């Protein structure tokens, strides 16, 4: 008995779903025993039955196997852990500048014209910036601080040797209401006091980041029905998002800085992990949402 392939192939969908009558099924099986073409058609229709009926083609690319999901979850958890550790370490080592008081430091002068600033043992670190003032004299600005971590570690008394080229040394309290204090001068004490201004760069960065976040946020909302394009925009959206997240972790809501280099270093390194976390979280979110839509119940 040689049934034409067309008839068999008409029956194959019913046969694949085990809905064909016994007589039809038997006829199909007899034919399949010797026809490779119909066997292929059967295989294809079985695959179609097993595949979820999902028309979200762009999302199909995102569907991840379990191994990849596990890897992304580990990456996300590791990034979040890194953010927490970095923020904590930055917090514990954040300089808390001393306002000038009589007992904060002592200037010891030597016969050869050199001088030494000896800090109180409470001081765990100091910064000295040397520059030539427009009046031609060499100025040194000093700030001293402690950190939360420093209170538990005995670093001994810190000292700073005033270079022979220096003319005047100021102590800067890094406090907007306190004027810089002349603590040593090679010649006559300086006439007036100056104020050291905190760096405002972080205010501008935060403003730019907030603007970019708003802009990309609007684009993301507009593209919510186009997952593939939204995925691309998310990579840009995640940059200001990571910056703002990192800033909040390191500086809280404070946007001015007396230690811009230090703060920028910690914000930048934390931002990297924020970015990794933002991308993995987004990929996982889309993958889980798609699985819920497409996987058979
Ligand atoms: Zn056939």
């Amino acid at each position: 008995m040689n049934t034409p392939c067309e008839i068999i192939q008409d029956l194959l969908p019913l046969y694949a779903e085990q809905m064909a009558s016994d007589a039809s099924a038997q006829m199909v099986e007899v034919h399949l025993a010797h026809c490779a073409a119909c066997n292929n058609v059967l295989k294809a229709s079985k695959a179609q039955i097993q595949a979820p009926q999902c028309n979200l083609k762009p999302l199909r690319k995102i569907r991840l196997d379990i191994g990849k999901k596990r890897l992304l979850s580990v990456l996300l958890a590791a990034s979040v852990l890194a953010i927490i550790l970095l923020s904590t370490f930055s917090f514990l080592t954040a300089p808390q500048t001393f306002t000038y008081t009589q007992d904060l430091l002592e200037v010891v002068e030597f016969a050869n014209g050199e001088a030494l600033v000896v800090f109180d043992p409470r001081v765990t670190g100091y910064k000295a910036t040397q520059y030539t003032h427009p009046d031609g004299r060499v100025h040194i600005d000093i700030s001293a601080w402690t950190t939360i971590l420093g209170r538990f570690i005995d670093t001994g008394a810190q000292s700073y040797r005033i270079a022979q080229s220096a003319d005047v040394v100021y102590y800067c309290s890094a406090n907007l209401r306190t004027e810089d204090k002349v603590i040593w001068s090679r010649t006559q004490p300086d006439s007036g006091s100056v104020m050291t201004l905190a760096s405002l760069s972080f205010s501008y960065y935060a403003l730019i980041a907030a603007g970019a976040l708003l802009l990309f946020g609007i684009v993301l909302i507009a593209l919510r029905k186009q997952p593939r394009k939204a995925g691309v925009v998310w990579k840009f959206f995640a940059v200001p998002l990571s910056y703002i997240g990192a800033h909040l972790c390191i500086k809280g809501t404070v946007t001015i800085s007396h230690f811009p280099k230090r703060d920028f270093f910690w914000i930048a390194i934390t931002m990297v992990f924020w970015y990794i976390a933002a991308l993995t979280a987004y990929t996982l979110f889309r993958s889980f949402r798609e699985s819920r839509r497409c996987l058979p119940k």
Side-chain angles (χ1 to χ4, degrees):
M1 188 171 72
N2 205 351
T3 322
C5 286
E6 287 84 349
I7 294 175
I8 295 301
Q9 285 175 14
D10 283 345
L11 288 171
L12 278 179
L14 287 174
Y15 175 76
E17 291 197 70
Q18 291 171 343
M19 286 162 72
S21 67
D22 287 348
S24 304
Q26 203 187 351
M27 186 169 76
V28 170
E29 276 160 16
V30 168
H31 182 90
L32 284 176
H34 62 79
C35 178
C38 289
N39 266 304
N40 286 338
V41 174
L42 175 67
K43 234 180 261 171
S45 70
K46 269 187 179 162
Q48 217 168 29
I49 291 161
Q50 272 158 11
Q53 292 301 302
C54 184
N55 296 324
L56 300 163
K57 263 193 177 165
L59 284 177
R60 196 161 278 169
K61 256 180 84 180
I62 283 226
R63 198 189 302 149
L64 305 168
D65 55 58
I66 291 165
K68 213 166 173 187
K69 262 184 200 164
R70 193 169 294 162
L71 191 75
L72 282 175
S73 306
V74 169
L75 194 61
L76 178 61
S79 309
V80 171
L81 188 69
I83 292 167
I84 293 169
L85 289 177
L86 287 168
S87 309
T88 307
F89 190 75
S90 165
F91 176 72
L92 293 176
T93 59
Q96 299 172 339
T97 308
F98 288 107
T99 301
Y100 180 80
T101 49
Q102 289 271 315
D103 58 353
L104 181 67
L105 56 88
E106 204 185 339
V107 182
V108 185
E109 291 190 320
F110 298 105
N112 64 359
E114 286 187 350
L116 196 69
V117 181
V118 181
F119 295 101
D120 186 85
R122 284 174 296 153
V123 171
T124 50
Y126 67 85
K127 176 172 79 171
T129 315
Q130 185 171 328
Y131 59 94
T132 306
H133 194 263
D135 69 11
R137 300 194 306 162
V138 174
H139 283 214
I140 293 175
D141 284 353
I142 287 182
S143 301
W145 64 79
T146 187
T147 62
I148 295 174
L149 204 64
R151 283 183 207 149
F152 299 100
I153 299 164
D154 184 17
T155 47
Q158 305 260 351
S159 63
Y160 171 72
R161 184 174 292 275
I162 299 171
Q164 279 184 312
S165 57
D167 293 306
V168 59
V169 180
Y170 286 91
Y171 183 82
C172 310
S173 295
N175 177 335
L176 291 177
R177 281 163 302 181
T178 313
E179 287 186 328
D180 294 346
K181 167 96 182 153
V182 176
I183 56 169
W184 180 84
S185 176
R186 192 172 294 282
T187 50
Q188 280 298 301
D190 210 49
S191 51
S193 287
V194 286
M195 295 270 272
T196 307
L197 291 176
S199 165
L200 291 171
S201 339
F202 290 95
S203 318
Y204 302 125
Y205 297 159
L207 212 63
I208 293 166
L213 197 70
L214 190 72
L215 192 78
F216 289 123
I218 291 168
V219 178
L220 268 183
I221 291 170
L223 290 176
R224 66 190 183 281
K225 296 260 153 71
Q226 292 161 272
R228 189 180 292 183
K229 283 182 190 164
V232 175
V233 175
W234 180 267
K235 286 180 186 143
F236 293 97
F237 178 78
V239 175
L241 181 74
S242 304
Y243 178 80
I244 289 174
H247 181 108
L248 288 172
C249 283
I250 300 301
K251 298 276 295 168
T253 51
V254 178
T255 52
I256 61 163
S257 175
H258 294 287
F259 302 92
K261 272 186 200 156
R262 181 217 174 255
D263 289 344
F264 194 78
F265 170 78
W266 286 104
I267 288 174
I269 198 168
T270 309
M271 187 180 164
V272 171
F273 291 100
W274 265 92
Y275 193 72
I276 297 171
L279 292 195
T280 47
Y282 185 74
T283 312
L284 280 172
F285 166 73
R286 273 179 62 184
S287 157
F288 280 123
R289 200 174 59 173
E290 195 228 359
S291 326
R292 242 192 316 183
R293 268 189 211 167
C294 290
L295 286 181
K297 302 270 143 53

